Amino acid sequence: MNGKKGSNVKIDIPSAAKPAVPAEPGKGNGGFSLKAWVRSVWEFAKEDTKRVTFSLKVGLAALLVSLLILIRAPYEIFGTNIIWSILTVAIMFEYTVGATFSKGFNRALGSLLAGIFAVIIMQVAISSGHVGEPYVIGCSIFLIGAVTSFMKLWPSMVEYEYGFRVTLFTYCLIIVSGYRMGAPIKTAMDRLYSIAIGGLVAVLVNVLICPIWAGEQLHQELVKSFGSVADSLEECVKKYLRDDGSDKPEFVKKVMDDFQDEPAFKKCKATLNSSSKLDSLANSAKWEPPHGRFRHFFYPWAEYVKVGAVLRHCAYEVMALHGCLHSEIQAPYNLRMAFQTEILDATSQAAELLRSLGSDVSNMKQALQTTLLKRVHAATDRLQRSIDLHSYLLTASHDLAAAAADPPTKLPNSKLTATLSFNGRVTAEPVCGGGGLEAGAAPPPKAATLARVESYHESMKKQQRRLYSWPSREVDEFEESGEQLVVPRIRALESTAALSLATFASLLIEFVARLDHLVESVDELAKMARFQQDDDAHPPA
C-alpha cells in the first residue's frame, strides 16, 4: 500500500466469527436426528397404510403360534418340535394373500416329500446294518441335495424353487436328528404337524384379517402406469415447445437420470422398471381364490402382464422423446413453433386415449375406443402432412451447398445485416462502408453466400446458446480453428439441428402407431376378464 508499482502487500482481514448453531435436541455427534428419523418412519407408513397392517398381522400370527409353547398343554403334546410352527410363520407369511398361498404350497409339498423320503431312507439304512447305516444316510443327503439344487434351476421349475429348498433342509434335519435320537418316523410326523399348524395360522390370519390381494395390487399398478405414460408424454412435448434455449444447462452438469423439474419423467421411468413387479404380482395372484371384483375362477392375470409389456413399449418412445428434449443439438425455437399446433394436437389426442384406456381397465368396462383412435390417427396424419409440406424447413443448409465446395473469402470493409424469418429462410442486405460496395450493387456470389452463412450462424448462436459439438466445445472455438473450416462445420451442425425436429416428430408418430397394439391388448384383456360392456362410453363426436 506504499504506492510503488509492482509491490505486493498482503492484508489479512480477520473473518467474522460465526455464531454457534445450537444443536438440535435428539441429535448426536454422528448427525443422527431422532426427530427426523421418526418423521421419515411416519411418512413411510402414511404413504401406504397397508404396510402397517401387514406388520401387525405378522406379529399376531407369531404370537398365536408362540402360545403353543407358552401354554403347557400343547407343549406337552408336541414338545420342542412345535418351534417349527414359529419358523413356518416367519418364513411363509408374505405381504399378499397370493404370495402366502404360493409359499405355503411350496412349503407343504416340500415338507411332505422330505418326510416321505426320510422315512424310506431310514428304513433302508436300518436294514443295511449298523456299519452301513451312516453311509446310506450320507449318500442319500448328497443325492437329495444335488437333485433338488439342479431341479430348481430348471426353467419351468423356477416357480417352485422355494419348495425344492424346503425339501433339502427339511430332509437333512429329519434324517440326521432321527439317526442320533432314534424314532425317525415319530420325529418326521411331529415336525410335519408343527409345520401344518404354523402354515394354517399364517393363512387364516392373512386371509381373514384385512387381506391384501395381489390381484388388486396388480390391477392398480397397471392402471397407474397408463396415467404415468400419458402425463410424461404431455410434460415432455409441452416443455419441448416451450423451451427457447435461453437458459439451457450444459449436458455434463445435468445427467439424464436426474431431472428434478420433471416429476412425470420419474413416473415413466418407474413404469419401465415395473416388469419384474408385474410378473411377481401375476404369479401370486393366480394362487388366490375369487375375491372382490375378480369373482370367477382362472382369472386371466397373465393378460395384465401382456398389457403392461405393450405399455412399456410405448413408454420407450416417451423416453426417447425425453432424450431429444435434453439433447445438445436442438432445432431453432421458431422452427418448432411452425409445427406447434400439429404436435400439440397429436399429443393431446394420444394422452386422452391413454387415460381412457386406463379408466376402462380401472372400472373393468369394455368400451369401444374406435372414435378416440380415429381422432389420434387424424391428428397424426395432419402432423405427417405438415412435415411433408414444409420439409424444406428441415434442411436448413440446402441452399448453402455451393458454399461448402469453394473456400470461403472475406468481404473487404463490408458489413451485412441478416434476418431469420419464421420459415427458416435467411435474408442478407449489404451495408455500405468506406471502400466497400456501392449502394445497390450486388455482392459477388461467393461473398454473399458466405455472408448469409455467417449471419445465419450468429442468429442460431443467439437463439440457442448451446454447445454444438461432442465432446463439449463452445461455438467460439470453431472460429479459432481456421476460416476455411467454419462453413462446412456450421452447415452440418445447423442441418442436424433442423433435422432434430423431424426426429422428435417421427418418435411421436411411432408412439401413436404403438397405441394400436395397446388398444388391441386392452380389448383382449376385457374379453378374457369378462369386463362389463359399455358401448356408449365414447360416443362419436
Side-chain angles (χ1 to χ4, degrees), residues 209 312 337 440:
I209 302 177
R312 281 196 302 276
M337 291 298 100

Side-chain angles (χ1 to χ4, degrees), residues 316-510:
Y316 291 146
E317 296 298 328
V318 178
M319 296 295 286
L321 290 173
H322 274 276
C324 292
L325 173 63
H326 296 284
S327 63
E328 294 202 20
I329 300 178
Q330 294 286 346
Y333 177 68
N334 57 352
L335 185 58
R336 279 177 275 174
M337 291 298 100
F339 302 94
Q340 179 185 17
T341 303
E342 292 80 3
I343 292 177
L344 284 178
D345 189 21
T347 301
S348 61
Q349 296 293 341
E352 181 183 358
L353 178 59
L354 277 173
R355 293 192 177 95
S356 178
L357 290 173
S359 177
D360 292 341
V361 175
S362 177
N363 300 325
M364 300 185 70
K365 293 183 179 180
Q366 185 178 2
L368 296 177
Q369 301 292 345
T370 306
T371 303
L372 285 178
L373 195 58
K374 288 181 178 179
R375 292 177 185 173
V376 175
H377 288 167
T380 308
D381 291 339
R382 288 193 294 270
L383 174 59
Q384 184 66 62
R385 287 197 300 269
S386 179
I387 292 176
D388 294 340
L389 183 63
H390 302 88
S391 59
Y392 63 92
L393 298 178
L394 304 179
T395 55
S397 58
H398 67 283
D399 57 341
L400 307 177
D406 299 326
T409 58
K410 285 188 175 180
L411 287 178
N413 301 327
S414 65
K415 297 181 180 178
L416 290 170
T417 59
T419 58
L420 181 63
S421 62
F422 182 79
N423 60 2
R425 297 181 179 274
V426 179
T427 58
E429 299 178 357
V431 179
C432 297
L437 297 174
E438 296 181 359
K446 293 183 180 180
T449 303
L450 177 59
R452 286 198 298 270
V453 174
E454 291 178 346
S455 61
Y456 180 57
H457 170 59
E458 291 298 326
S459 300
M460 292 282 292
K461 178 180 176 182
K462 292 179 181 179
Q463 285 186 8
Q464 301 185 53
R465 301 177 185 175
R466 299 183 183 277
L467 301 177
Y468 275 128
S469 64
W470 186 266
S472 300
R473 295 177 61 197
E474 295 292 344
V475 179
D476 295 337
E477 296 183 15
F478 288 115
E479 301 174 358
E480 300 174 0
S481 60
E483 190 89 23
Q484 296 186 359
L485 298 178
V486 173
V487 174
R489 288 187 180 182
I490 296 175
R491 187 175 64 88
L493 291 171
E494 292 174 353
S495 178
T496 304
L499 288 175
S500 66
L501 176 61
T503 302
F504 189 88
S506 63
L507 289 173
L508 182 58
I509 295 173
E510 175 65 20

Side-chain angles (χ1 to χ4, degrees), residues 2 54 113 130 159 161 173 184 211 213 219 265 295 330 332 355-356 392 421 433 443 447 467 478 496 498 509:
N2 54 7
F54 167 72
L113 292 177
H130 182 69
E159 185 179 353
E161 184 267 342
L173 291 176
W213 302 101
H219 188 84
F265 173 81
R295 297 180 179 177
Q330 294 286 346
R355 293 192 177 95
S356 178
Y392 63 92
S421 62
L467 301 177
F478 288 115
T496 304
I509 295 173

Side-chain angles (χ1 to χ4, degrees), residues 35 40 52 96 117 144 165 203 213 250 253 265 284 286 288 303 340 344 381 411 427 439 511 525:
K35 184 178 179 180
S40 64
V52 180
T96 62
F117 291 156
I144 293 295
R165 189 182 303 174
V203 169
W213 302 101
E250 295 183 10
K253 294 182 180 179
F265 173 81
S284 300
K286 68 182 182 181
E288 296 176 347
E303 290 298 318
Q340 179 185 17
L344 284 178
D381 291 339
L411 287 178
T427 58
F511 176 85
L525 170 63

Side-chain angles (χ1 to χ4, degrees), residues 51-109:
R51 297 166 179 167
V52 180
T53 303
F54 167 72
S55 304
L56 297 177
K57 288 163 59 177
V58 174
L60 177 61
L63 174 62
L64 292 178
V65 294
S66 298
L67 292 177
L68 300 177
I69 299 178
L70 299 176
I71 300 176
R72 182 177 296 275
Y75 179 75
E76 291 178 351
I77 297 175
F78 296 101
T80 57
N81 288 322
I82 198 62
I83 200 172
W84 283 62
S85 299
I86 302 177
L87 180 63
T88 300
V89 169
I91 296 177
M92 180 178 161
F93 209 107
E94 291 291 335
Y95 185 74
T96 62
V97 175
T100 301
F101 273 108
S102 178
K103 274 285 187 71
F105 174 80
N106 279 273
R107 184 161 183 80
L109 183 60

